[in-house]
Amino acid sequence: PTRRSSDLKWSGTAYRRGTNWIQGYTNVADFAGTFAYGIKDRAEIFGSFLVDTRIDRDIRPLFVNDPSFGGIIDRYPQANRQWSGDNLGDLYLGVKFNLWSEQQQKPAAIAIRATAKIPTGKVNAGVSTGKPDVGLDFIVSKEARKLVEVTGFGGYEYRGSPDGIDAPSGAFRWGTGVAFPSRNFLRVSAELNGEVPS
């Protein structure tokens, strides 16, 4: 649902996200609720709370001595069971500031987004690192013929690692997505995301 006034818009969603990782042939399922508040036509405050995160690791034995698929997942380095069960996940908060807007007759929409992870997830179940993360992204989007919206982003995330675990401390992130039809209450969207840990 979305509520509008002259200076404020808000929205909320609920969804299930499944992410597959080659390490351990693992699936991470997140059940999340999201919210966003728009302020004027320039800024948006948003958040996502993973009310349930569960991890299913399929290889047997659980870890094997082959770094191409047998090691840990750097985002879930303490996941050490075949099935984690249902567990509380992390809270993500952020703000996005528009630099350009198509509403202002600019050729595309351009924004900067800052996000922070609040580690509310259950660490001993392996569904959280227990440490905060902070990210900054540059976003560009364009609506084509009032029919399809295309978006891309790139940025960097600083990541906290659990004590005693040597994992990447950051990553370059990128992504692209499309939404169709762009002006209907019911839309189909697709995303492709990637990262290069450092």
Side-chain angles (χ1 to χ4, degrees):
T2 302
R3 178 173 179 159
R4 300 180 181 214
S5 68
S6 59
D7 294 330
L8 181 68
K9 297 179 188 177
W10 66 267
S11 66
T13 62
Y15 66 93
R16 179 197 185 276
R17 174 183 65 193
T19 306
N20 293 314
W21 302 82
I22 191 67
Q23 292 297 331
Y25 303 134
T26 302
N27 175 267
V28 178
D30 294 306
F31 295 83
T34 68
F35 69 90
Y37 287 93
I39 303 169
K40 300 286 186 182
D41 61 350
R42 286 287 185 181
E44 177 182 76
I45 299 168
F46 60 88
S48 179
F49 185 44
L50 307 182
V51 295
D52 184 12
T53 296
R54 50 196 192 187
I55 300 175
D56 179 20
R57 188 174 173 100
D58 286 339
I59 66 167
R60 306 293 184 266
L62 201 58
F63 298 98
V64 296
N65 193 20
D66 185 336
S68 65
F69 74 93
I72 66 168
I73 300 169
D74 68 335
R75 303 310 301 136
Y76 306 96
Q78 293 177 300
N80 59 8
R81 287 178 255 175
Q82 296 170 354
W83 171 245
S84 70
D86 297 299
N87 297 278
L88 188 67
D90 292 320
L91 170 66
Y92 292 84
L93 299 173
V95 62
K96 182 174 73 171
F97 184 78
N98 292 334
L99 303 174
W100 275 13
S101 171
E102 290 181 282
Q103 181 181 1
Q104 300 167 339
Q105 307 305 312
K106 300 293 185 182
I110 298 175
I112 295 174
R113 174 180 63 196
T115 57
K117 181 189 84 175
I118 312 302
T120 56
K122 196 171 180 182
V123 177
N124 62 2
V127 300
S128 175
T129 62
K131 301 292 184 179
D133 301 338
V134 177
L136 185 66
D137 300 308
F138 183 75
I139 306 167
V140 178
S141 67
K142 174 70 177 172
E143 185 181 35
R145 299 185 180 180
K146 298 181 180 180
L147 187 63
V148 178
E149 185 171 10
V150 180
T151 303
F153 80 90
Y156 194 82
E157 181 179 45
Y158 296 92
R159 298 174 171 175
S161 295
D163 296 333
I165 293 179
D166 184 15
S169 61
F172 171 75
R173 307 183 302 177
W174 61 270
T176 185
V178 295
F180 170 85
S182 58
R183 298 190 181 216
N184 197 338
F185 73 96
L186 182 64
R187 298 195 291 178
V188 175
S189 62
E191 296 181 5
L192 178 65
N193 299 296
E195 61 183 39
V196 181
S198 64

